[in-house]
Amino acid sequence: MKIGISLPVREMRDDLIAIKDFAQAAEDLGLTHLRVPDQVFRKNSGHLREPMMLLSYIAAVTTKIELVPSVIVLPVRQTVLFAKQAVELDRLSEGRVRLGIGVGGSIEEYDSMGVNFRQRGRRCSEQMALLKQLWCGESVQGGTRYDAISSDVHLDPLPVQQPIPMWIGGAGVPSEPVRRRIGELADGWFVLCDPSQFVEVRDSINSFAEEAGRNPIELGMEAGVAVVGPRKDEWQERVTGWQALGLTHLCLRTLGGGIEVSEHVPTMRNVVEKL
């Protein structure tokens, strides 16, 4: 099981030295990936960085750790422009990108971007298919029902990874359309349900993958475990439990527990020593 960590961007705000030190420390400690959340706009969401830009900065100060924006609210982003941005990040990081994709749940966010909230799921599925084509060097015309492309489009340069892997994140127990989207289109999914609900959700997703002619064993699965806050004394047990359920990835979290900015790296080091 690969173990990574979330970058505590809300707590670190504009402290680029703290952000750099955290990313480099995570890499030096052997953690496999670094996750950064996304919101374009949400009322009272607080201080939150734009993940593609921030990860471009982190790509320049690291060499090995995988960069995971999770999750990008894809339907509020223009498909071809996002495809180009993802290519740039993948090339700047020499192929270290894994994209988290989701549809979000904020009507305000969609309204702020002039995108129809009710069409977000169908738009996301069509965008994912189009992104794969663009990243593999195909010339695309017509786009989707929700994102028209009036002339032939192809990307140059192409990403290191063709295509860039896309993982889907949804609600705690994802709806049937989201499970189907994961099974049919995604390279993996972010597990937000309780362990007691996991098997049923996994089996449902796997059945959709099989219907689409895909091998479910190739789908990655990643859960998160907080190592600070109310459940900080449970983290080792929870890591062991998720590992027993066969997850491929796990994400530790030092964020959200009310600790000072200076405490995040020592907390991370202490946890890694006990893994």
Side-chain angles (χ1 to χ4, degrees):
M1 184 169 67
K2 296 181 178 180
I3 299 180
I5 196 161
S6 288
L7 180 67
V9 289
R10 291 185 190 276
E11 289 90 338
M12 292 181 173
R13 297 177 67 85
D14 293 320
D15 191 339
L16 290 180
I17 293 176
I19 289 171
K20 175 176 69 70
D21 289 348
F22 188 93
Q24 291 177 333
E27 182 171 80
D28 292 343
L29 288 166
L31 293 171
T32 60
H33 57 282
L34 188 70
R35 283 175 55 175
V36 178
D38 175 48
Q39 286 175 9
V40 176
F41 167 80
R42 190 167 302 173
K43 189 175 181 180
N44 301 321
S45 65
H47 193 96
L48 196 61
R49 310 300 294 253
E50 200 292 312
M52 303 298 284
M53 294 292 289
L54 181 61
L55 287 173
S56 295
Y57 167 73
I58 293 173
V61 297
T62 57
T63 59
K64 296 179 293 184
I65 199 163
E66 186 180 46
L67 309 177
V68 188
S70 64
V71 296
I72 295 290
V73 183
L74 184 60
V76 301
R77 294 176 182 248
Q78 201 279 334
T79 309
V80 176
L81 176 58
F82 180 72
K84 185 72 172 178
Q85 291 171 328
V87 167
E88 193 68 21
L89 180 58
D90 196 58
R91 291 181 69 89
L92 288 172
S93 65
E94 300 182 311
R96 289 188 281 137
V97 177
R98 172 164 55 101
L99 291 170
I101 298 296
V103 299
S106 170
I107 295 176
E108 289 178 331
E109 187 167 18
Y110 278 79
D111 287 346
S112 73
M113 300 297 289
V115 178
N116 189 318
F117 180 77
R118 295 182 182 276
Q119 296 175 342
R120 67 195 189 283
R122 287 167 290 174
R123 176 176 164 86
C124 183
S125 293
E126 294 188 1
Q127 286 180 293
M128 290 180 70
L130 188 59
L131 288 170
K132 288 183 180 183
Q133 291 177 268
L134 289 166
W135 290 330
C136 290
E138 297 182 33
S139 183
V140 173
Q141 185 175 13
T144 75
R145 285 176 294 173
Y146 310 107
D147 200 359
I149 299 173
S150 59
S151 59
D152 283 345
V153 172
H154 70 277
L155 299 183
D156 186 9
L158 293 173
V160 175
Q161 303 175 92
Q162 296 179 25
I164 299 169
M166 289 184 283
W167 287 43
I168 287 178
V173 177
S175 66
E176 181 175 321
V178 174
R179 298 185 201 193
R180 181 180 294 277
R181 190 175 305 123
I182 295 169
E184 292 178 348
L185 294 169
D187 299 288
W189 55 290
F190 296 105
V191 180
L192 301 178
C193 62
D194 186 87
S196 64
Q197 302 166 311
F198 169 74
V199 173
E200 187 275 329
V201 175
R202 180 202 61 197
D203 290 350
S204 174
I205 288 170
N206 288 351
S207 68
F208 287 124
E210 290 171 348
E211 288 178 15
R214 307 180 70 202
N215 186 351
I217 201 170
E218 297 176 357
L219 289 177
M221 301 172 289
E222 177 171 340
V225 171
V227 299
V228 295
R231 303 186 69 179
K232 64 180 180 181
D233 296 329
E234 305 172 17
W235 74 264
Q236 287 172 294
E237 180 182 351
R238 296 179 67 207
V239 168
T240 301
W242 282 121
Q243 189 168 25
L245 286 170
L247 264 64
T248 59
H249 294 64
L250 192 80
C251 184
L252 305 174
R253 295 196 300 266
T254 63
L255 54 81
I259 64 175
E260 298 294 326
V261 170
S262 61
E263 296 179 81
H264 285 277
V265 170
T267 300
M268 174 171 56
R269 287 201 178 102
N270 182 54
V271 167
V272 170
E273 288 173 1
K274 295 176 180 178
L275 286 172

